[in-house]
Each structure stands twice: as C-alpha cells, then as structure tokens.
Amino acid sequence: MGNLILSIESSCDDSSVALTDIDSLELIEHLKVSQEAEHSSYGGVVPELASRLHAVALPKLLEKIKPYFADIKAVAVTTHPGLSVSLHEGVIMAKGAAAFLNVPIIGVNHLKGHIYSLFIGKEQTLPLLVLLVSGGHTQIIEVESYDKMKLLATTIDDSVGEAYDKVAKMLSLGYPGGPIIEKLALEGDENSFNLPVPMQNSPLVAFSLSGLKNAVRLQIEALGGAKNMSRQDICNLSASFQKAVLKHLLQKSKKVFKENIIPNFAIVGGVSANSYIKEGFKKLCKEFNKNMLEVDLKYTSDNAAMIGRWAIEAYKNGDFSEDSLKVGATKRLQPGSLI
Ligand code: KG4
Ligand code: ZN
C-alpha cells in the first residue's frame, strides 16, 4: 500500500507517465516515449503529428501502471505552456483516469515542473534562483515556494533551445539540435568565427537570440551554404555559436547575481543537459559564492517525473484549483510578474 501521484506530461514531443510516492518522494515508475525520430526529418516538432502520437502512446503507458491503480490518490497533468493540441491529449487522459479512480486532478505548469526536476526523489532546497533554458523558454526565475515564482528576466525573441534547433536545421544536422551542436562543438575551435554576443552593451536584463541566429545564417551563406561546408567548418561554427550563447547567458545572469542574495542557483530545462553551459555557470556561481544545484541528466528534458514532484507540493497544500486545468499555449509575461 502506498499513497501515489500519477503524473502525465505531453506538452511537446514526449509522452510520459510517472508514479511518485507522496510521503517518501520516491519515484516508483517513470515511463517515456520520445517522438524525436518521427519529427527529426521535419527539422522541428509538427503539432498534428505530435498530438496523434500522444493519443497512441499515452493509453499504452497507462496500461503498464495498472497494478498501482488502487494506490493512486491524485492525477497530475501538464496544462500549460506548450502545444495546445499535445497538451489536450494529456488532459483528456488525466481527466479520464481521475474520473475512473475517483481522485482529484491537479493541473501543472510545465515550467514549474522543470524547476521541480531538481527535487525528484528529494526534499526542496529553497529559496532558489533558476535559469530555465528550454525549447520554448529562456527565463530567470526567483523561486520562493512551489506556488510563488517570480519572473526576473525573459527573452525578447527566440529561446536558447530554439536557437540551437534552428542553427542545427540551417546546417542540416537534424532535430533536436542542442545535443548535436554540443557534440560537434567539442571538435571545433570556438574562436574561429567572430559571432556577436547579443545585447552586450544594453543595460537590459533580458535575452535575445535571433540576432545571433541570423549572424550564423550569414556565415553559412558566406561559406556557400551548409552543403559546401567541411565538417571542420561545421564544428568550428558550432563551437563559436555556443561560445556566444554562453557569454550572453553569463553576462545577463551576472547582472541578476549582483543584485540578488539568494544563495542557491540552478539551470533547468532541456538545454541544462549541456556540459559547456553548465561549466560556465559553475564558475560564475563560484565567483558569487552561490550553491549550484544540478538536475540529474535523466530529467533535464521533458518528463512526467518532474510534473509529479511539483504536484506533491500542490497536493499537500490542498491546491486543486479547477482553473489550473485550462489548457494554454505560451503566454508572454512581463518581468516582475508571477509565473
Ligand atoms: O525542456 P525541453 O526538453 O522541452 C521544452 O520544454 O522545450 O527542451 C528541449 C530543448 C531543445 O531545443 C533541445 O535542442 C535542447 O533543449 N537541448 C539542448 C541540449 N539537449 C537538449 N540544447 C543544448 N545542449 C544540449 N545538450
Ligand atoms: Zn520542457
């Protein structure tokens, strides 16, 4: 016998289901079907295809955890932000499961889920400053508690993950671009291309990636297009791109660090799997005497375990707002607002 939370994540191109013990925080089951291979040939996620694949995968995953049904005390599901058609598949599944099991349902903000990926199987370390870098977002967030999170900085155009994916697409490298670029960059010289560090001279604490992405496009064109580039050119350009991305993230984060005394810091989201970026931030944390928490590599990309971990806090606080079940795409929030 246990007290379990069933969690479902389907905001983008991963169908995932998890069971977490409410009392011990132990992750009991964690299942995930990735759609990366299906979307790869398109160089990005195709929403209709994603939603269809979720509709096929989720019932199969739920079937596998049937033996635990009697122990489930609540069903948690990602409701926003994400691709509406994909989110809907998860919410339909969650509503069905909650009605069948006669338990409450908890709507979860995907971004808060990413932050709680830090605490899978463990207690929370709060307060916390977070740099969230994913396919859809680039934000600095101040986390006071599971439901009090303030946006400090955000991107004015593309997200970091998106920039990696678009650069990879320009170089015909496949999707998702982040891990491919990181690997190629290891064989490249980061000083070979002179790419602009975004917003270097701006006092704004905000991110911008589209100018850098365009600078990469111009370099590719100057070399006669991706097809005419040598492997070494591609590695060099990947390394130079990463160098500019990291410099930009560090420069803007440093501005926040100078004014914010919160002792704990973490990078979360898909891009936080990147060792080069992580190393840069480890040095910055050392300089500012901040304790850097890390997400286990298993949980940096989208997964249901992080959704379940956040939902445990909501469950313990009796937080079952009907409102939180409204499915929604990405909202543009202003710095200073609660996420
Ligand atoms: O958090 P995530 O799995 O999904 C969203 O919520 O968007 O993030 C996916 C993003 C993709 O853009 C992918 O290219 C990027 O994370 N990513 C990386 C790495 N691994 C995944 N970016 C840079 N370096 C990596 N190693
Ligand atoms: Zn995500």
Side-chain angles (χ1 to χ4, degrees):
M1 267 297 283
N3 294 316
L4 307 181
I5 286 219
L6 161 64
S7 51
I8 300 174
E9 156 66 37
S10 71
S11 67
C12 192
D13 58 347
D14 293 291
S15 316
S16 180
V17 161
L19 285 169
T20 314
D21 191 296
I22 295 169
D23 306 305
S24 70
L25 306 177
E26 187 191 346
L27 184 61
I28 307 292
E29 273 289 353
H30 188 212
L31 308 168
K32 183 162 149 173
V33 176
S34 173
Q35 308 174 353
E36 275 169 11
E38 284 87 347
H39 295 289
S40 184
S41 58
Y42 300 98
V45 177
V46 182
E48 291 73 18
L49 177 60
S51 124
R52 193 147 37 84
L53 293 170
H54 285 308
V56 174
L58 288 172
K60 288 187 186 156
L61 298 182
L62 287 175
E63 185 68 29
K64 287 192 183 157
I65 53 140
K66 233 177 171 176
Y68 295 99
F69 273 11
D71 293 339
I72 293 171
K73 298 294 182 283
V75 178
V77 61
T78 308
T79 55
H80 67 288
L83 296 172
S84 297
V85 286
S86 292
L87 290 161
H88 268 295
E89 292 302 330
V91 172
I92 291 166
M93 240 33 98
K95 282 188 174 165
F100 177 74
L101 298 167
N102 196 22
V103 296
I105 180 163
I106 301 170
V108 184
N109 177 323
H110 182 77
L111 307 182
K112 291 179 180 170
H114 268 302
I115 292 170
Y116 271 69
S117 65
L118 288 162
F119 308 135
I120 293 169
K122 47 181 119 128
E123 294 295 341
Q124 314 167 67
T125 302
L126 297 175
L128 175 70
L129 258 186
V130 169
L131 171 67
L132 186 149
V133 268
S134 68
H137 295 83
T138 300
Q139 302 184 334
I140 298 182
I141 301 164
E142 191 178 285
V143 183
E144 196 180 312
S145 64
Y146 84 99
D147 65 343
K148 265 212 196 104
M149 302 193 185
K150 191 163 83 181
L151 182 68
L152 298 185
T154 186
T155 176
I156 55 175
D157 42 57
D158 292 355
S159 72
V160 174
E162 204 176 346
Y164 267 95
D165 292 339
K166 286 181 179 166
V167 166
K169 194 174 175 177
M170 288 185 241
L171 291 168
S172 306
L173 297 173
Y175 170 86
I180 306 171
I181 301 260
E182 180 183 13
K183 208 159 159 230
L184 292 170
L186 290 175
E187 295 172 47
D189 170 7
E190 64 178 25
N191 298 315
S192 52
F193 288 91
N194 192 12
L195 296 173
V197 177
M199 300 175 78
Q200 270 209 97
N201 301 316
S202 161
L204 275 183
V205 186
F207 301 102
S208 167
L209 275 304
S210 83
L212 174 59
K213 177 191 69 188
N214 283 327
V216 172
R217 188 195 307 278
L218 292 176
Q219 292 288 356
I220 296 171
E221 280 170 15
L223 291 165
K227 286 200 182 74
N228 286 314
M229 288 171 70
S230 68
R231 185 184 155 80
Q232 194 56 50
D233 282 340
I234 292 177
C235 293
N236 289 346
L237 191 55
S238 298
S240 305
F241 165 73
Q242 281 214 127
K243 182 186 170 193
V245 169
L246 176 63
K247 262 196 157 173
H248 177 42
L249 293 175
L250 286 173
Q251 277 176 359
K252 296 303 175 186
S253 302
K254 204 167 173 173
K255 285 190 192 290
V256 175
F257 278 21
K258 277 184 181 156
E259 308 215 321
N260 196 302
I261 53 158
I262 290 180
N264 304 302
F265 173 78
I267 317 179
V268 306
V271 183
S272 73
N274 188 297
S275 304
Y276 177 80
I277 292 179
K278 256 195 312 203
E279 283 311 309
F281 274 90
K282 273 187 194 157
K283 284 189 199 129
L284 187 71
C285 282
K286 219 167 174 191
E287 191 186 320
F288 281 83
N289 214 3
K290 288 200 192 290
N291 168 37
M292 184 158 152
L293 312 177
E294 282 186 57
V295 180
D296 190 319
L297 265 186
K298 292 196 285 290
Y299 307 125
T300 52
S301 61
D302 293 346
N303 65 82
M306 68 189 195
I307 302 304
R309 180 63 189 88
W310 183 87
I312 287 179
E313 301 305 319
Y315 181 87
K316 285 180 175 165
N317 284 281
D319 191 349
F320 305 110
S321 147
E322 276 288 313
D323 220 36
S324 71
L325 284 176
K326 285 195 187 122
V327 167
T330 306
K331 264 191 258 160
R332 278 237 169 255
L333 289 177
Q334 290 305 317
S337 47
L338 291 181
I339 70 165

